[in-house]
Amino acid sequence: MATINDNYLKLKAGYLFPEIARRVNAFAEANPSASIIRLGIGDVTEPLPAACRTAMIKAVEEMGDRATFKGYGPEQGYAWLREKIATHDFQARGCEVDASEIFISDGSKCDTGNILDIFGDDNTIAVTDPVYPVYVDTNVMAGHTGVANDRGEYEGLVYLPITADNNFTATIPSQPVDLIYLCFPNNPTGSTASREHLQAWVDYARANGSILFFDAAYEAFITDPVIPHSIYEIEGARECAIEFRSFSKNAGFTGTRCALTVVPKTLTAKAMDGSNVELWKLWNRRQSTKFNGVSYIVQRGAEAVYSPEGQSQTRALVNFYMENARIIREQLTAAGLAVYGGVNAPYVWIKTPDGLSSWDFFDKLLHTCHVVGTPGSGFGAAGEGYFRISAFNSRENVEAAMKRITQTFTG
Ligand code: MLT
């Protein structure tokens, strides 16, 4: 008889966002007239930039003509897109990243999970707490952990708490860990990392032979010019870091799907026989075997982000969401809540009032304001007592949600 991957049975109830959707749907069914505003999942609401749409329409036409039709593309992505990314996103910031080190994919969520394919099962893994749940759950699925305790912490993972006390940036661990997930600007807390903080991580990783998984999906939201956008702005990062980036949030591609992962050719890790093996070769082998690339049409849409029109349209999109973030921050602060993030990131992280648990606050907001956010405890034990509000929504919805919340908490 067939057997299952028992590691799946260790996973907690459900992935956070489907669990929220389940609760919201139950509330909506019981209260059909409630106008619910969803500021939970970080999903974009505004239309795709015109430059991307025009490029995709042209690409569709090309697919309709035998002379310009495309079948399978390169598994790593088309060179014209990889070169634009290398030039605009990395070399323009002084980062030494070659187009051949960039792998186009259908999402950072997939890549941050899939990357585990090329690493051994005996690595010690560190995550911040709270953390994007995908990093934890994919390690559980891969059998890299034991079972979860009452607080939802999995045996075998090293949790690095990030709270208001350490400015939501983890203290470098005292013990050696092999794989470390860092996300800056941070999901869920909206915090950022200074150059010095990132240099400390790079120095630690190089001293311990560790690899940093640097998730920069929200780099476009950085407004402060001194904050690094890429880990490769940090000296030595090419020897210890893989970076994940996405078109989801800056160009509204959450439903269109396009992202990228950078694996420098200078990056190695140990094989069982003690030899150093280039991770680029393994990731290239993995992608060539398990992935057939992102559609030509979508890659043309992503390429248009780098045209002058695409650059100004994506900037406008980012500014639009950051104005939402500013409104959320100001209104919630005025309502007397302790508010973090939302300055260089599209997430606002709040301390729940009156000692409410994260899920109790979720229920209160849903039932009294008909507003959905994300309970901090869903991102990890140290997120208990916090709550995340996403700035990804229409201005009208953000303003209406803030009005409802401020009325509830001030009045
Ligand atoms: C979130 O809400 O944390 C994001 O939507 C997650 C994601 O990008 O997958």
Side-chain angles (χ1 to χ4, degrees):
M1 176 143 184
T3 61
I4 59 152
N5 175 354
D6 264 60
N7 295 308
Y8 277 64
L9 304 181
K10 295 179 201 160
L11 293 165
K12 286 176 285 153
Y15 177 59
L16 176 61
F17 295 107
E19 174 60 17
I20 290 171
R22 194 186 61 71
R23 290 181 184 225
V24 174
N25 291 342
F27 175 80
E29 243 170 63
N31 302 275
S33 62
S35 126
I36 298 172
I37 300 176
R38 291 171 167 81
L39 302 177
I41 191 160
D43 193 6
V44 293
T45 54
E46 302 311 296
L48 288 173
C52 302
R53 296 198 309 266
T54 306
M56 285 193 273
I57 290 165
K58 181 166 174 273
V60 170
E61 292 304 332
E62 288 178 52
M63 294 299 268
D65 181 341
R66 181 177 293 279
T68 47
F69 172 79
K70 304 273 183 301
Y72 292 124
E75 293 93 349
Q76 301 80 359
Y78 284 99
W80 36 259
L81 176 56
R82 300 165 85 196
E83 275 154 19
K84 292 235 167 44
I85 294 168
T87 310
H88 288 260
D89 287 345
F90 295 104
Q91 291 158 12
R93 290 192 179 278
C95 307
E96 189 197 332
V97 170
D98 187 74
S100 64
E101 298 173 318
I102 295 169
F103 293 81
I104 307 300
S105 79
D106 58 346
S108 291
K109 179 180 183 175
C110 328
D111 281 358
T112 55
N114 292 336
I115 197 75
L116 294 174
D117 273 13
I118 65 168
F119 288 93
D121 290 332
D122 51 354
N123 286 302
T124 311
I125 292 149
V127 291
T128 61
D129 180 9
V131 70
Y132 180 42
V134 172
Y135 310 154
V136 171
D137 286 3
T138 51
N139 275 289
V140 176
M141 291 170 176
H144 297 166
T145 73
V147 292
N149 64 18
D150 296 347
R151 285 164 48 88
E153 295 159 330
Y154 288 93
E155 192 191 348
L157 285 187
V158 175
Y159 288 91
L160 309 171
I162 52 171
T163 62
D165 295 337
N166 58 14
N167 221 5
F168 303 101
T169 47
T171 307
I172 309 281
S174 43
Q175 78 264 49
V177 289
D178 304 310
L179 304 177
I180 302 140
Y181 291 82
L182 296 177
C183 174
F184 288 114
N186 187 249
N187 180 13
T189 66
S191 65
T192 49
S194 65
R195 181 172 293 279
E196 294 69 33
H197 183 70
L198 294 178
Q199 187 70 62
W201 273 115
V202 167
D203 293 347
Y204 169 89
R206 292 183 72 194
N208 290 283
S210 329
I211 300 289
L212 304 175
F213 294 153
F214 190 78
D215 186 345
Y218 299 96
E219 62 76 32
F221 295 85
I222 294 174
T223 53
D224 185 337
V226 303
I227 295 172
H229 287 239
S230 167
I231 193 71
Y232 304 116
E233 290 177 55
I234 308 301
E235 201 191 326
R238 281 183 59 81
E239 275 72 55
C240 64
I242 291 175
E243 181 163 307
F244 303 94
R245 284 203 180 196
S246 172
F247 293 93
S248 281
K249 310 293 159 87
N250 64 336
F253 271 46
T254 55
T256 306
R257 310 305 305 151
C258 198
L260 59 118
T261 288
V262 181
V263 185
K265 290 185 173 159
T266 39
L267 204 55
T268 61
K270 283 252 178 291
M272 292 243 288
D273 66 5
S275 60
N276 284 329
V277 176
E278 280 178 42
L279 292 173
W280 183 93
K281 284 191 180 152
L282 299 190
W283 185 244
N284 190 47
R285 185 73 172 83
R286 190 262 172 219
Q287 291 298 82
S288 309
T289 304
K290 293 196 182 183
F291 187 58
N292 255 334
V294 173
S295 93
Y296 172 72
I297 297 160
V298 168
Q299 290 192 64
R300 281 295 186 200
E303 182 195 26
V305 165
Y306 300 99
S307 66
E309 305 76 40
Q311 289 284 284
S312 76
Q313 290 161 11
T314 48
R315 181 42 50 202
L317 209 45
V318 165
N319 289 346
F320 174 83
Y321 291 122
M322 290 312 289
E323 174 64 7
N324 283 351
R326 188 192 63 75
I327 293 168
I328 295 169
R329 276 179 60 84
E330 284 189 7
Q331 299 278 312
L332 296 181
T333 305
L337 296 165
V339 174
Y340 308 94
V343 177
N344 293 290
Y347 295 123
V348 176
W349 187 243
I350 54 181
K351 187 92 195 86
T352 57
D354 308 323
L356 285 177
S357 77
S358 300
W359 277 109
D360 285 349
F361 188 67
F362 173 89
D363 286 335
K364 180 169 168 137
L365 273 199
L366 179 60
H367 290 259
T368 57
C369 307
H370 304 167
V371 172
V372 180
T374 311
S377 56
F379 297 103
E384 181 56 273
Y386 288 94
F387 198 78
R388 193 190 77 176
I389 304 270
S390 157
F392 292 113
N393 215 308
S394 65
R395 183 64 40 76
E396 192 189 354
N397 276 348
V398 165
E399 284 174 345
M402 290 308 113
K403 197 164 163 203
R404 292 184 200 172
I405 294 175
T406 44
Q407 271 166 2
T408 302
F409 287 94
T410 54

